[in-house]
Amino acid sequence: MPFVELDTSLPAGRVPAGLEKRLCAATAAILSKPEDRVNVTVRSGLAMVVNGSAEPSAQLLVSSIGVVGTAEENRGHSARFFEFLTKELDLAEDRCDLVPPGPLTPWACGQPTLRVVV
């Protein structure tokens, strides 16, 4: 069951309507998971600094059990998420950060996690 969290400094009015639904569908396609098992949260209007700047930005965290087996798969997933984000949010490439999709161990579900951008 993938969990996807999109944090952005964009005000709610600049976040495209229906973004959460499109992000859910994109996540299902990218990770080869059923759409009805994907959970998406979109938070807008946050105070954020990305790459040392407070200009509009976004960060995507993806957690899922058994999704990534190799670095190559991780690069492929990340590239597709990055393409989705920059297109949907109309942000420059240097204004988006991805927390690469990675395995979420079953014992960690429901526990606080450390967010690390790799």
Side-chain angles (χ1 to χ4, degrees):
M1 170 183 319
F3 295 92
V4 178
E5 299 175 46
L6 175 60
D7 293 337
T8 182
S9 61
L10 292 172
R14 279 205 45 209
V15 175
L19 175 67
E20 65 284 350
K21 190 70 174 154
R22 289 189 303 281
L23 181 54
C24 181
T27 299
I30 292 167
L31 301 181
S32 300
K33 297 284 188 174
E35 192 170 338
D36 65 351
R37 302 297 292 165
V38 176
N39 297 284
V40 173
T41 302
V42 176
R43 290 181 286 267
S44 59
L46 299 174
M48 296 176 65
V49 173
V50 171
N51 299 328
S53 170
E55 291 296 315
S57 60
Q59 177 177 294
L60 185 70
L61 169 70
V62 178
S63 301
S64 187
I65 297 171
V67 172
V68 178
T70 67
E72 188 61 34
E73 287 174 317
N74 190 28
R75 280 190 291 275
H77 292 147
S78 294
R80 292 176 68 191
F81 277 118
F82 191 82
E83 180 181 356
F84 176 89
L85 274 185
T86 56
K87 178 183 172 189
E88 285 283 337
L89 297 178
D90 193 28
L91 292 173
E93 292 179 358
D94 68 337
R95 303 308 307 147
C96 296
D97 274 337
L98 299 175
V99 179
L104 178 65
T105 56
W107 55 265
C109 292
Q111 299 296 319
T113 59
L114 176 65
R115 294 181 184 198
V116 178
V117 178
V118 179

